[in-house]
Amino acid sequence: MTESRRSLVREPAGAARATETPTGKAIWIDTDIVFNRFPEDVDDGLALMMALDSPAVRIRGISLNRRVDNGARVTRRLLGHYARYEIPVYKGTDDIFASYGHCTEAVDRLAEALQRERLTIVAIGAATNLANLLTFYPEQAGNIDEIVFCAGRSAGTRFNAGSSRVGLPDANFDNDPRSFLRVLDAGIPITLSGFEAASSVWLDRRDILRIARNGRPGDRWVARRLRMWHVAWRLGLRLDGFIPFDACTIGHVLYPECFDYHRDIPVQINLRDNDARRWRKDPQKQYLEASYAFESPYRVDFAYAASPRYKDKLMYHLLGQASS
């Protein structure tokens, strides 16, 4: 693996039409968005909709990992419906299972953005693009204010949604643990806001109907995608609703007062029996776990619960009420 710096290219690609000058905290979204394929998840798209509606943040760019061609198409469609200013979209690592070691346009452009200003990175996919950034542009680590990941768990916690006995994966971590370790090694401030923070926040058919009847261009299309995901949870988990995990990752950035945190808690990667074998058949897998009992060089802030009022914040932005 060659750790040579790539030249920075400055022409924007795949940007949404500019209609406003954005204000607020400068963020970058790194995502494995699918949104438009049954039975794939929709929460990346919901997180993006929240960020697009909120005046508290300005999105400087979006980088894609895994199935990046489809990700680019669906991201640009969402931007076409809901973006109020220009946002470039860049393709990153498609094969995240091979982990880091390849520089992409997404990595080059994120490095360029970090040269211009400090950024908070909202990481709602695998850590592959960020590990590549730190490999090919290690000097940019100091320009990252924080990375907030949809990943991690309290030590020994099993991911069961509601009353379901099916163990869910910690997919963003599970898909590329090696890249996550590369990011931990960089010493960048990290917040984990994933399953546990989101586990009490549910969307159901009434919420989907509110979006479908909301009246903006794109709302009916979004509602159809949410209905498909609702059906997937009903068939696969026998649950009448779903948890929008990534919407609680961006929630840490938009409404940190709505979450409870373990501050400066040690995290480490442990090998244990696989508790989510419906998704991966290996008898064991790695877990990203947090506990004050660990003696680990790695420490993070860990969001472990959301306030009941966070659901109202979520729907407020999914209905576009901040920008109306």
Side-chain angles (χ1 to χ4, degrees):
M1 180 175 62
T2 302
E3 299 192 3
S4 60
R5 183 176 308 174
R6 298 277 295 255
S7 61
L8 296 174
V9 185
R10 298 186 178 275
E11 296 177 1
R17 183 178 303 169
T19 58
E20 291 185 14
T21 300
T23 59
K25 178 194 289 282
I27 69 170
W28 185 282
I29 297 178
D30 186 66
T31 174
D32 61 354
I33 188 171
V34 181
F35 199 76
N36 60 337
R37 293 185 176 181
F38 182 84
E40 303 283 358
D41 59 66
V42 298
D43 50 333
D44 295 74
L46 298 180
L48 177 56
M49 288 175 66
M50 290 189 71
L52 290 171
D53 186 61
S54 175
V57 295
R58 58 190 191 277
I59 306 171
R60 293 307 202 198
I62 299 171
S63 52
L64 307 170
N65 64 74
R66 194 182 182 196
R67 297 170 292 197
V68 296
D69 290 337
N70 181 73
R73 285 191 296 270
V74 74
T75 298
R76 287 169 181 147
R77 180 161 186 174
L78 284 167
L79 294 179
H81 288 311
Y82 301 118
R84 294 171 286 118
Y85 53 90
E86 183 177 291
I87 303 171
V89 179
Y90 305 117
K91 295 179 184 180
T93 301
D94 202 47
D95 184 9
I96 58 172
F97 303 106
S99 197
Y100 66 95
H102 301 280
C103 203
T104 61
E105 179 190 36
V107 172
D108 289 338
R109 298 305 177 84
L110 175 53
E112 182 184 69
L114 286 165
Q115 281 187 335
R116 292 193 297 267
E117 63 182 329
R118 299 180 63 83
L119 295 171
T120 292
I121 298 176
V122 181
I124 50 177
T128 320
N129 285 337
L130 303 183
N132 278 320
L133 173 77
L134 296 169
T135 297
F136 292 93
Y137 298 96
E139 71 280 4
Q140 298 304 338
N143 293 327
I144 299 173
D145 280 332
E146 177 188 27
I147 304 174
V148 51
F149 279 102
C150 184
R153 70 183 73 205
S154 300
T157 297
R158 183 181 171 94
F159 285 0
N160 293 106
S163 61
S164 175
R165 299 180 65 182
V166 176
L168 298 178
D170 188 7
N172 294 336
F173 171 75
D174 291 353
N175 288 337
D176 188 2
R178 182 168 167 260
S179 283
F180 209 101
L181 181 59
R182 177 70 180 86
V183 177
L184 286 173
D185 278 331
I188 298 165
I190 289 174
T191 296
L192 305 181
S193 183
F195 180 92
E196 288 166 71
S199 60
S200 64
V201 181
W202 288 75
L203 296 179
D204 58 27
R205 64 188 69 193
R206 292 168 297 180
D207 302 312
I208 297 170
L209 185 59
R210 287 182 68 192
I211 294 170
R213 294 176 173 175
N214 194 43
R216 294 177 300 170
D219 285 342
R220 287 185 178 274
W221 178 77
V222 166
R224 287 195 295 272
R225 311 282 80 73
L226 301 187
R227 288 193 187 101
M228 291 193 299
W229 188 230
H230 182 254
V231 168
W233 274 57
R234 190 168 64 244
L235 295 177
L237 301 177
R238 301 185 182 276
L239 295 170
D240 188 20
F242 62 89
I243 301 170
F245 300 108
D246 294 330
C248 290
T249 310
I250 188 66
H252 159 72
V253 179
L254 302 180
Y255 299 105
E257 69 277 8
C258 287
F259 294 86
D260 294 324
Y261 296 87
H262 294 306
R263 299 292 186 184
D264 198 36
I265 187 170
V267 293
Q268 63 188 37
I269 296 173
N270 297 313
L271 184 67
R272 303 189 189 279
D273 290 343
N274 184 357
D275 66 358
R277 297 187 69 172
R278 180 180 289 190
W279 279 264
R280 187 169 296 178
K281 302 303 181 184
D282 308 273
Q284 292 188 313
K285 70 170 187 175
Q286 296 183 81
Y287 291 77
L288 177 66
E289 297 185 308
S291 171
Y292 285 113
F294 291 157
E295 295 182 3
S296 171
Y298 308 123
R299 291 179 175 265
V300 302
D301 287 344
F302 184 91
Y304 65 88
S307 163
R309 69 183 184 275
Y310 183 68
K311 169 73 175 291
D312 293 335
K313 307 286 190 184
L314 168 62
M315 289 303 300
Y316 176 79
H317 289 297
L318 294 186
L319 297 172
Q321 293 173 338
S323 56
S324 62

